[in-house]
Amino acid sequence: MNALQVLESSPVLPVIVIHDMDVAVELAHALVRGGVSCLEITLRSEAALEAIAHISREVPEALVGAGTLRNARQLEAALRAGARFGVSPGLTPELAAAARNADVPFLPGVATASESMIAADAGFTVQKLFPAQAVGGVALLKALYGPMPDIAFCPTGGINATNAGQYMALPNVKCVGGSWLTPDDAVARRQWDEITALARQACALRTAS
Ligand code: 3PG
């Protein structure tokens, strides 16, 4: 599987922070039930690596990746835990080399045309536009499509049910990322039906766009 296939496997890439290991598997099931099977577990919590391992084992229909990878050490730890793809808010030469060596689908974060070109030169033509809304959003993606139509993006940062459809309609957007499918409050209260409904609603946006 390559990075493009990862993005094409789901209209939305939920950006997930797991604080409580006990909810990890149920949360993954709730998203999968709603049609969202590609999951980005961010390395922003103590529980993240264990959650990746657990969900990979217990929810085989999910495609589990690791997010917020800021260095090679984190990428390696995530792969050892069972992550099948990686996402970063940016890109460093060290991280680029580690992702190439690991030969795993990897989305570097970019925010400008130059960063996108540097990432493409490093071998990554599927990229995360981050933080999407703050750096220009839909207008920036439309502008980038002119000179670099071959780059595919997963915009993330400030995307929600209201604006996701506008992003999904763009030819250079394969998937949108965001944390809106897993509100902290709903996760803490184990409102799995609410999360399944949010996932379904997000999938319907792609069909509509
Ligand atoms: C990320 O790491 O991709 C962002 O924090 C997600 O941004 P959001 O919370 O605005 O969706």
Side-chain angles (χ1 to χ4, degrees), residues 91 108 110 114-125 127 150-151:
L91 186 65
V110 304
S114 291
E115 289 175 11
S116 181
M117 288 157 64
I118 290 167
D121 278 355
F124 306 101
T125 52
Q127 304 170 356
D150 52 322
I151 307 295

Side-chain angles (χ1 to χ4, degrees), residues 15 40 42 44 67-68 87 89 128-131 156-160 177-180:
V15 174
E40 175 188 332
T42 60
R44 290 182 207 178
T68 320
V87 185
K128 165 173 171 160
L129 181 75
F130 179 76
T156 308
I159 299 183
N160 52 44
S179 60
W180 88 92

